[in-house]
Amino acid sequence: MKVLIATEKPFAPEAVEQIRGIFDDAGYETVLLEKYASKDELLTAVKGVDALIVRSDKVDAAVLDAADTLKIVVRAGAGYDNIDLEAATAKGVVVMNTPGQNSNAVAELALGMMVYMARNLFNGKPGTELKGKTLGIHAYGHVGREVARIARGFGMETLAYDPFVSKTDIINDGTKPVDTVEELYERSRYVSLHIPANDQTRRSVSYDLLSRMPKGATLVNTARKEVVDEESLLRMFRERDDFRYVSDIAPDCADEIAREFPGRFFFTPKKMGAQTAEANINAGVAAARQIVKFFEKGDTTFQVNK
Ligand code: 3PG
């Protein structure tokens, strides 16, 4: 078996080493394509491989067509909006993710960005504390749960809205479930987004929701930039001088925000949530193990295009 690790944003070297170790033990060949500058490099590299590990790398119909012997692609991470599931299914290619493996890293970044914004980007002026503030967690999956755990350590009150998670599970964690998404925004000085990007959620964080947030509102986005409606975002910045936005990757309207609303935003230059050695090792090793189990035992536990 030949496995390609194609990561435009490379894994930590320790993660690559451990992934290689797993494939060496299984008798598989590992090929590494990192920091590739053009899609053509990826199209060439996928030829003749049986399995592919990616991060946020775009695996579209063209990549799947070029991958003439591909059987499985594993997104080492949570969100698989970068993979064309329909095209993969049509070609009989199994797609998996590695849920939960990088969630602590993302959660730590969410809280880190909240502290940074609460302290006025460390500009020397008095800021505010997280203790005693309410944090609304929009979707209570792996990352949302980790965010709640850390936020409680800061002394925050945590609320969650997630129609797919049982209220008992949320309550058992020490978080309060709310019945509607509107209520979440109404009650939360901080809202942290953990919804996936799909046809239902794209641009769903709208003016109607954001304008419900109380005074001193900060929106925290470690999910995907696409889930926030940017017209609504700009309107909030214009109408509410208390509104702030921190996001792991800049929105398309970042230049406008930077020009007109300095000091009220922070955007990472690249998606940084899962960019820790630990998260890379966890997600990369999980991806490698899932590939070996798939080929050796037919295991499809984490398949997302069933
Ligand atoms: C995820 O969906 O797992 C995160 O957004 C991490 O993405 P990355 O692997 O590109 O850093």
Side-chain angles (χ1 to χ4, degrees):
M1 296 290 169
K2 188 169 168 182
V3 186
L4 172 69
I5 305 170
T7 48
E8 186 273 321
K9 182 176 60 188
F11 284 128
E14 309 92 289
V16 176
E17 204 178 298
Q18 292 194 32
I19 295 168
R20 269 190 202 281
I22 290 167
F23 291 137
D24 286 351
D25 289 348
Y28 299 0
E29 182 190 346
T30 308
V31 182
L32 188 60
L33 175 70
E34 289 181 330
K35 293 188 201 164
Y36 53 92
S38 75
K39 190 171 171 183
D40 283 346
E41 283 182 63
L42 179 61
L43 293 176
T44 306
V46 292
K47 281 193 207 326
V49 306
D50 300 285
L52 173 62
I53 294 178
V54 291
R55 296 184 64 180
S56 290
D57 307 77
K58 218 171 164 52
V59 181
D60 58 13
V63 174
L64 289 158
D65 278 341
D68 48 353
T69 54
L70 187 68
K71 283 116 197 145
I72 178 169
V73 43
V74 182
R75 191 283 190 245
Y80 44 88
D81 48 309
N82 52 319
I83 299 175
D84 185 335
L85 291 191
E86 239 170 76
T89 306
K91 298 209 71 180
V93 172
V94 168
V95 180
M96 294 185 187
N97 65 347
T98 64
Q101 298 293 344
N102 58 21
S103 44
N104 181 67
V106 179
E108 286 190 12
L109 182 73
L111 269 294
M113 291 197 301
M114 283 163 63
V115 171
Y116 187 48
M117 187 45 85
R119 295 302 183 96
N120 295 318
L121 315 174
F122 301 153
N123 69 357
K125 293 192 183 138
T128 54
E129 299 179 19
L130 300 184
K131 188 176 178 183
K133 309 296 186 301
T134 303
L135 168 64
I137 299 168
H138 189 165
Y140 203 70
H142 291 283
V143 183
R145 186 165 286 134
E146 291 299 317
V147 165
R149 176 182 60 77
I150 302 169
R152 279 193 305 277
F154 274 92
M156 299 187 87
E157 185 192 353
T158 53
L159 306 178
Y161 172 73
D162 194 326
F164 304 106
V165 176
S166 90
K167 287 193 172 165
T168 317
D169 285 352
I170 296 175
I171 293 165
N172 286 344
D173 277 359
T175 293
K176 290 184 192 143
V178 296
D179 291 325
T180 65
V181 68
E182 288 80 10
E183 187 186 345
L184 187 82
Y185 283 73
E186 272 155 24
R187 293 177 59 184
S188 305
R189 172 139 169 194
Y190 288 85
V191 169
S192 190
L193 303 176
H194 302 292
I195 44 178
N198 57 39
D199 291 346
Q200 283 72 50
T201 60
R202 268 182 212 103
R203 301 180 61 194
S204 66
V205 180
S206 61
Y207 182 78
D208 176 56
L209 287 180
L210 293 172
S211 58
R212 291 170 191 267
M213 291 180 75
K215 197 167 164 36
T218 297
L219 179 68
V220 184
N221 186 0
T222 53
R224 292 288 182 270
K225 68 175 178 180
E226 292 84 0
V227 300
V228 176
D229 177 60
E230 296 202 5
E231 279 307 311
S232 301
L233 191 63
L234 287 168
R235 190 171 164 197
M236 279 296 290
F237 269 111
R238 267 184 226 117
E239 292 182 3
R240 294 257 310 256
D241 62 9
D242 62 305
F243 176 75
R244 295 166 170 211
Y245 183 48
V246 290
S247 178
D248 184 15
I249 201 165
D252 294 336
C253 61
D255 287 349
E256 197 172 338
I257 294 175
R259 214 170 37 241
E260 292 183 33
F261 312 107
R264 293 169 53 196
F265 70 91
F266 172 72
F267 306 136
T268 54
K270 238 177 203 258
K271 196 140 186 65
M272 292 296 297
Q275 198 61 328
T276 66
E278 293 89 336
N280 289 173
I281 291 168
N282 292 344
V285 163
R289 291 204 175 117
Q290 286 172 214
I291 287 170
V292 173
K293 269 191 176 176
F294 170 74
F295 284 124
E296 304 305 321
K297 298 191 171 134
D299 189 318
T300 56
T301 306
F302 295 102
Q303 186 173 356
V304 293
N305 63 336
K306 267 186 184 155

